[in-house]
Amino acid sequence: MAEHEHVRVAVIGSGFGGLGAAVRLRREGITDFVVLERADSVGGTWRDNSYPGCACDVPSHLYSFSFAPNPEWPRTFSGQRHIRAYLEHVTDLFGLRPHIRFDSEVKLMTWDGEGLRWHIETTRGTLTADVVVSATGPLSDPRIPDLPGLESFPGKVFHSARWDHDYDLRGKRVAMVGTGASAIQIVPAIQPQAGRLTLFQRTPPWVMPRIDRAISGPERWLHRRLPVTAQARRGLLWGIRELQVQAFTKRPDELGLVERIAKRNMARAVKDPELRAKLTPDYRIGCKRILLSSEYYPALARPNVDVVASGLSEIRGSTVVAADGSEAEVDVIIFGTGFHVTDMPIAERVVGAEGITLAESWKNGMRALRGASAAGFPNWMTIIGPNTGLGNSSMILMIESQLNYMADYLRQLDVLGVPPGPQGTGGGRAALDARPAAVEDWNRRVQDRMKRTVWNTGGCTSWYLDASGRNTTIWPGTTTEFRRATRRVDLGEYAVIRAGSAGDAGPAGAGERSRAGEGSGAGDGGGAGKPSGAAEQSGATA
């Protein structure tokens, strides 16, 4: 990284969000950007999650960019290897590699109000940027519970997102902690190898059958020769999921039929009534993410598997102890305990206009205008931000909507940054800062819609909720509504910051603030964004 390097846009992360942002920047004619990636390759969560059985729970033709269709998907639900290969292909197809700085973990980003730019410190050097697009994603930093005795466990310990492929599980006594989207794929994959597999289940998930099959050669040929057929396939998959949203967001009682299907899925594989009782949830389906597997229940019914209907509470030497007092001797502990979703570590590394971190600003819960802009953090946007997650469809749809918003954000900056003309038009360099009133109004309306959704009323505690029980993760509407809400930037929702003349940087060194657009700033972006009709790792759930 060149000393004193300056770019127009710095993108953080090279998963779906970061690569999508890079493609969109190039398509907008912007080439003065970098993608900062802490690892040595692209892929994000699909690079990090390489555990046995890792696959997507969204159909392949929907879990891909609309601008980069893949007619060669081998299965209706693709595995990690093929999704990662797809992201490598996108990187090369759009010529993104010259923009990517690998092994460049962001350590600190600080807003310079006088210079109207971000100072970025990485493990490979420093740079500045006019705009930061944070695409680190919610499924990037594994969460391992702080358990008494864990540090003195004599065996092997790792998280599902940091799988140790050098460790041989054959004949080992394995403790699998967690029953989320990763665990239900791992268990069937490792059960035949393990000498003994003990599953620690704090809360049983709802599991639907996974209707997966190989996509035939003729189908792939047809999609290659007639791309409209792949588009139709994608459209059908999307439409079905759009129709399902009403049940999740407005009429959770209609999900009873889905519960019966899930129970039949269990009953076919699990004949032991005691085990079935352990595996039957006591909350409404959909409250937690609905999981897909046709192999999970059969694996749990095998004689070398024990299901402990209690969370892991402590470790005593090589003995793992559950909250209900049951114990097991194990050689290895595998944590499938999720990620830092509502407390993303990147927030601790972003220092805004008032000198506080994003984590401090979000101490009472994550909030961002249209899932993208946080008040007090000018020219900073996030992809897959607060309340942009999905419970039943593809996160790629949400990412592409946010890329539309990002593109218009940059266009607005171009217009605002036109050098002053002879008639006083233009105002020199500028920045946009989301108005606190606009952020609060947006989030109030999102949370009002959230009140009757299955995620808030279904009777469960999920990773969608933050420490205060507030749902800061899921979008309570259709992807169409979100697309309308992020179609363009409403300048009434932003304060326009201009570089001060004669060294006058204005309040907090932030330049002079234009007061264009007073009030709550709850404009709808041209008829687009009111949660009253607008407001999935996992989108990238593995």
Side-chain angles (χ1 to χ4, degrees):
M1 201 172 291
E3 188 175 2
H4 306 306
E5 179 181 14
H6 177 78
V7 294
R8 185 179 180 194
V9 182
V11 178
I12 317 299
S14 67
F16 267 101
L19 294 179
V23 172
R24 188 56 183 268
L25 289 171
R26 286 188 63 96
R27 297 179 82 184
E28 292 289 317
I30 299 171
T31 57
D32 184 16
F33 70 91
V34 295
V35 178
L36 302 174
E37 170 54 57
R38 67 184 178 184
D40 59 3
S41 60
V42 302
T45 194
W46 293 107
R47 175 198 59 235
D48 297 341
N49 286 271
S50 60
Y51 58 78
C54 183
C56 191
D57 59 2
V58 174
S60 303
H61 287 273
L62 193 58
Y63 198 75
S64 48
F65 291 121
S66 64
F67 53 78
N70 179 18
E72 301 297 339
W73 287 119
R75 302 195 66 84
T76 52
F77 290 91
S78 290
Q80 176 264 347
R81 178 169 62 90
H82 295 105
I83 296 173
R84 185 177 181 186
Y86 170 76
L87 291 172
E88 293 279 0
H89 169 71
V90 168
T91 302
D92 293 327
L93 179 66
F94 292 94
L96 303 182
R97 292 197 188 276
H99 297 277
I100 302 175
R101 308 288 191 268
F102 291 116
D103 300 311
S104 299
E105 181 176 4
V106 171
K107 309 303 290 185
L108 185 67
M109 291 183 280
T110 306
W111 174 250
D112 172 7
E114 185 171 354
L116 297 188
R117 59 181 51 179
W118 285 93
H119 288 265
I120 306 170
E121 300 176 21
T122 81
T123 52
R124 295 285 298 275
T126 62
L127 73 157
T128 56
D130 295 331
V131 177
V132 168
V133 177
S134 180
T136 58
L139 305 180
S140 56
D141 292 281
R143 180 191 293 275
I144 293 181
D146 184 14
L147 296 170
L150 180 60
E151 70 285 348
S152 59
F153 177 68
K156 190 72 177 177
V157 177
F158 53 87
H159 190 277
S160 60
R162 301 292 185 269
W163 195 271
D164 188 340
H165 290 277
D166 294 328
Y167 187 79
D168 191 353
L169 291 173
R170 286 179 295 183
K172 297 294 195 304
R173 299 169 299 177
V174 182
M176 181 73 225
V177 184
T179 53
S182 298
I184 72 155
Q185 296 178 347
I186 293 170
V187 168
I190 68 172
Q191 174 270 319
Q193 306 171 42
R196 193 88 204 161
L197 176 58
T198 304
L199 176 67
F200 288 87
Q201 170 193 271
R202 187 171 57 182
T203 307
W206 283 105
V207 182
M208 295 284 286
R210 178 186 175 93
I211 313 301
D212 186 27
R213 65 171 180 84
I215 298 177
S216 68
E219 286 177 277
R220 297 198 300 274
W221 177 88
L222 186 63
H223 293 334
R224 283 194 305 271
R225 295 296 297 270
L226 294 174
V228 67
T229 61
Q231 294 170 7
R233 185 174 192 155
R234 178 185 176 94
L236 178 62
L237 293 168
W238 165 79
I240 290 171
R241 281 154 181 78
E242 291 290 272
L243 293 174
Q244 293 170 348
V245 170
Q246 294 278 3
F248 287 88
T249 60
K250 295 180 179 179
R251 296 188 288 272
D253 288 344
E254 293 182 358
L255 292 166
L257 173 61
V258 186
E259 288 184 3
R260 290 194 289 274
I261 296 172
K263 287 179 178 179
R264 283 200 297 270
N265 181 43
M266 182 197 305
R268 280 194 295 266
V270 180
K271 305 305 180 184
D272 180 1
E274 183 177 344
L275 180 56
R276 276 206 308 273
K278 287 182 181 180
L279 299 176
T280 302
D282 61 358
Y283 55 88
R284 173 63 75 194
I285 195 169
C287 183
K288 290 176 178 283
R289 189 174 180 91
I290 300 174
L291 307 182
L292 303 180
S293 177
S294 298
E295 294 82 32
Y296 178 63
Y297 288 137
L300 296 184
R302 302 298 296 170
N304 68 328
V305 177
D306 295 314
V307 177
V308 178
S310 181
L312 187 60
S313 63
E314 65 174 306
I315 294 95
R316 302 172 190 157
S318 60
T319 303
V320 289
V321 184
D324 64 2
S326 57
E327 301 180 359
E329 293 288 319
V330 300
D331 304 305
V332 55
I333 303 174
I334 302 172
F335 286 99
T337 44
F339 300 84
H340 289 274
V341 175
T342 60
D343 58 342
M344 292 187 288
I346 191 67
E348 299 172 356
R349 307 179 187 189
V350 185
V351 181
E354 303 301 324
I356 65 171
T357 67
L358 185 61
E360 291 171 316
S361 176
W362 282 352
K363 65 183 178 181
N364 295 321
M366 299 191 301
R367 290 172 171 82
L369 176 61
R370 304 184 188 270
S373 301
F377 298 83
N379 284 8
W380 183 92
M381 302 184 70
T382 181
I383 305 295
I384 316 183
N387 291 113
T388 61
L390 296 175
N392 75 312
S393 192
S394 172
M395 277 304 301
I396 314 306
L397 302 171
M398 302 294 279
I399 288 171
E400 291 196 26
S401 292
Q402 291 198 288
L403 298 183
N404 290 340
Y405 195 74
M406 176 199 75
D408 195 52
Y409 190 102
L410 292 168
R411 292 187 207 112
Q412 298 290 351
L413 286 177
D414 279 345
V415 173
L416 293 167
V418 172
Q423 281 77 43
T425 58
R429 295 188 63 241
L432 292 174
D433 188 5
R435 294 181 178 278
V439 176
E440 288 307 309
D441 187 65
W442 171 261
N443 280 275
R444 175 186 57 77
R445 289 184 280 128
V446 168
Q447 294 302 320
D448 282 348
R449 286 191 71 181
M450 197 73 71
K451 290 176 182 177
R452 56 179 174 174
T453 67
V454 69
W455 307 299
N456 280 35
T457 65
C460 74
T461 301
S462 73
W463 58 267
Y464 300 150
L465 310 180
D466 64 17
S468 64
R470 184 168 166 268
N471 193 327
T472 58
T473 306
I474 294 293
W475 169 248
T478 65
T479 62
T480 301
E481 291 170 326
F482 190 75
R483 180 64 60 98
R484 289 201 302 264
T486 53
R487 184 174 56 196
R488 65 184 181 126
V489 170
D490 178 0
L491 285 180
E493 296 181 328
Y494 288 88
V496 180
I497 309 171
R498 300 192 185 280
S501 60
D504 178 13
E512 297 176 355
R513 292 174 179 259
S514 165
R515 297 187 63 80
E518 297 293 337
S520 68
D524 64 359
K530 301 189 185 301
S532 58
E536 188 166 46
Q537 149 76 133
S538 90
T541 299

